[in-house]
Amino acid sequence: MDLIHAIRGMNDLLPAEAARWQLVEETARSVLERYGYKEIRTPVVEETRLFQRSIGETTDIVEKEMYTFEDRKGKKLTLRPEGTAGVVRAVLEHNLFADDRAPKVYYLGSMFRYERPQKGRYRQFYQIGAEAFGVADPLIDAEIIAMAWRFLDELGLGGLEVRLNSLGDAQSRASYRELLVAALTPHKDALCADCQRRYVTNPLRVLDCKVEGCKAIAATLPSIADALSDASKAHAAAVEATLKDLGIAYRVDPQLVRGLDYYTNTIFEISASSGELGSQNTVVGGGRYDGLVEQLGGQPTPAIGFAFGVERLVLLLGEKQKAARPRVFVAALGVEARKWAMRTVEALRAMGAAAELEYESKSFKAQLKRADKIGAKLVLVVGDNELAGGYAQLKDMTAGAQRQIPLQDVVAATLTALNASV
Ligand code: AMP
């Protein structure tokens, strides 16, 4: 029979890589919860119009990258390409504002985009995201960047750069749009087909276009900084002042626009400056989206968030991973000894230890090989002779030492030895 393969751009996470993913996820939970964020889980599938209305009809994600299908009743559904829209929908649907005027939530989960797969870019990928609602003060913009930075620091990742920009409020955006359309009109024929179609409705997308010709034109365009309202300027200055105060280095990048329409004022990305990730070197992107809650049917509510790409973090971690738990292996030979082994691993597990045994009837030599294979720190060796004598041998695989333990003390002595080896 022929083998069936995974879908292009969708990866298996194999057991050998799991400890690295767990390190990322556990560090994220630990950091996010210290900042007061609580977990939220939303469905992987949402109504297509949720993403059209939030991410924007003329973005690459909505125009080209969504996995959209009809269910059996003809309803248009989409595999979520990002997490914010679903979170905003859920926050509104369950009115989380009823008992908290400023809820802060985080999520971990897979996202789907029909992009061209390459290293660091996949069609199913995992994001860790955070969203904070109800706070307009720039203090939280700086705090969310500090939180992202702390997470990276606790993962031990260096060589990273924070890039910051402001897209302005609604008023700044309207005047910038006019500036852009005027500046783009003479270059109209040189733009790619997508940009020719969307530069009047959504000229910001030209700034984000990956086509070389458009990139060259984008470099000549006026900067958003020229169109910022006084309020937006003051907001950006306050974010920068707090970042300086916290000692977080950043670079203002006037070219930074991000690929989603819902952002207002602060936007940021953190990228690896070394070549490890190649062209897909941005590990986190985020920003403020003060208009989105209202756009999705809620009261006007300021909000800000970010999303990390987990695969990229795992690539940057290299060999670093969660420390393995010390384990004990029980090697037994003979009918009674094997029964004792089964009772003993259960007793050890009940006390919180990681314990395994050989299921098949095998020689001691084969069992010790297995113990070595699973990386056991300790091995309990019991044959019918030991059982008759009322003791077991406790072997420390790293130190190579071996001692006899009376059977009634085996669980306690093994636990003590395991803890001592941590
Ligand atoms: P975005 O929502 O596009 O700003 O993405 C936020 C982060 O998710 C990026 O900085 C990447 O780390 C990650 N990411 C986005 N798209 C992909 C993808 N196709 N494959 C892997 N990671 C991705």
Side-chain angles (χ1 to χ4, degrees):
M1 290 264 257
D2 59 332
L3 283 175
I4 298 170
H5 294 276
I7 306 298
R8 184 166 131 83
M10 303 198 178
N11 301 311
D12 298 307
L13 163 61
L14 300 174
E17 303 147 53
R20 219 160 287 144
W21 281 68
Q22 287 169 0
L23 177 67
V24 171
E25 291 171 0
E26 286 170 18
T27 308
R29 285 180 193 284
S30 157
V31 172
L32 288 157
E33 289 185 10
R34 266 178 272 158
Y35 283 82
Y37 288 73
K38 297 197 178 115
E39 186 170 1
I40 187 165
R41 298 190 194 194
T42 65
V44 166
V45 180
E46 299 273 359
E47 278 193 51
T48 303
R49 62 197 176 109
L50 174 69
F51 303 114
Q52 291 168 329
R53 221 197 276 174
S54 54
I55 299 168
E57 293 274 9
T58 49
T59 55
D60 278 355
I61 296 180
V62 170
E63 282 185 344
K64 303 179 198 164
E65 296 171 1
M66 295 206 303
Y67 281 89
T68 296
F69 57 97
E70 287 185 1
D71 72 5
R72 288 175 188 275
K73 291 218 168 117
K75 200 174 188 98
K76 269 185 102 179
L77 304 178
T78 295
L79 297 183
R80 61 180 181 195
E82 57 97 58
T84 305
V87 168
V88 173
R89 180 205 47 70
V91 164
L92 288 174
E93 190 166 336
H94 304 284
N95 191 19
L96 295 197
F97 300 113
D99 58 33
D100 186 352
R101 73 183 158 75
K104 295 189 281 192
V105 296
Y106 74 89
Y107 58 85
L108 286 82
S110 37
M111 307 297 156
F112 301 83
R113 292 184 197 172
Y114 197 84
E115 292 192 86
R116 198 170 49 77
Q118 63 180 85
K119 186 178 177 187
R121 187 166 73 195
Y122 312 101
R123 289 181 173 170
Q124 175 175 355
F125 58 98
Y126 284 79
Q127 283 188 338
I128 297 173
E131 317 286 354
F133 297 94
V135 181
D137 198 284
L139 209 54
I140 203 167
D141 306 40
E143 188 193 58
I144 212 164
I145 295 170
M147 179 166 80
W149 191 252
R150 184 168 309 285
F151 169 51
L152 293 165
D153 183 57
E154 292 193 11
L155 282 176
L157 298 178
L160 296 157
E161 186 189 42
V162 179
R163 283 173 299 122
L164 190 67
N165 196 16
S166 174
L167 287 182
D169 49 21
Q171 185 201 332
S172 324
R173 286 283 277 275
S175 45
Y176 187 45
R177 199 189 138 263
E178 276 178 29
L179 275 181
L180 274 186
V181 175
L184 280 167
T185 305
H187 300 287
K188 184 170 163 254
D189 297 337
L191 293 172
C192 74
D194 283 337
C195 288
Q196 288 196 15
R197 183 171 40 76
R198 63 193 176 185
Y199 87 95
V200 177
T201 46
N202 197 354
L204 263 189
R205 295 280 68 91
V206 179
L207 298 179
D208 189 41
C209 185
K210 282 138 200 147
V211 175
E212 286 305 324
C214 297
K215 276 192 192 168
I217 295 169
T220 68
L221 295 172
S223 157
I224 178 84
D226 304 330
L228 288 185
S229 67
D230 289 343
S232 284
K233 277 185 194 151
H235 189 95
V239 176
E240 289 189 44
T242 307
L243 286 176
K244 286 197 182 108
D245 206 28
L246 295 176
I248 295 172
Y250 62 89
R251 177 167 67 86
V252 174
D253 177 1
Q255 305 283 344
L256 183 65
V257 283
R258 309 222 356 95
L260 302 86
D261 279 351
Y262 52 61
Y263 288 112
T264 52
N265 283 324
T266 313
I267 53 167
F268 71 96
E269 287 185 349
I270 303 180
S271 307
S273 35
S274 70
E276 270 167 285
L277 290 181
S279 59
Q280 304 303 313
N281 64 345
T282 302
V283 292
V284 59
R288 192 168 262 291
Y289 50 92
D290 289 345
L292 184 59
V293 175
E294 188 178 13
Q295 221 170 300
L296 292 178
Q299 296 297 318
T301 307
I304 184 165
F306 66 52
F308 275 91
V310 179
E311 287 83 355
R312 295 184 191 180
L313 293 172
V314 168
L315 281 168
L316 281 180
L317 274 181
E319 292 308 305
K320 212 174 294 164
Q321 54 181 277
K322 201 180 123 187
R325 280 181 82 177
R327 325 177 69 75
V328 54
F329 189 87
V330 181
L333 206 60
V335 175
E336 288 310 312
R338 279 166 51 75
K339 285 186 192 158
W340 179 88
M342 187 66 180
R343 287 196 302 274
T344 305
V345 285
E346 277 300 308
L348 285 164
R349 291 161 181 162
M351 296 301 291
E356 289 184 63
L357 82 172
E358 175 55 62
Y359 302 106
E360 319 278 355
S361 187
K362 292 253 164 93
S363 70
F364 270 133
K365 190 170 166 220
Q367 294 193 51
L368 286 174
K369 227 169 127 184
R370 178 84 195 148
D372 199 42
K373 170 81 199 152
I374 68 157
K377 284 241 183 314
L378 299 174
V379 183
L380 277 168
V381 184
V382 189
D384 285 340
N385 282 348
E386 279 86 357
L387 265 197
Y391 64 90
Q393 307 278 0
L394 181 62
K395 202 173 155 68
D396 185 321
M397 298 289 270
T398 28
Q402 186 167 318
R403 61 197 164 100
Q404 286 191 4
I405 313 279
L407 288 181
Q408 69 271 18
D409 298 338
V410 157
V411 171
T414 306
L415 289 172
T416 308
L418 267 186
N419 289 335
S421 67
V422 177

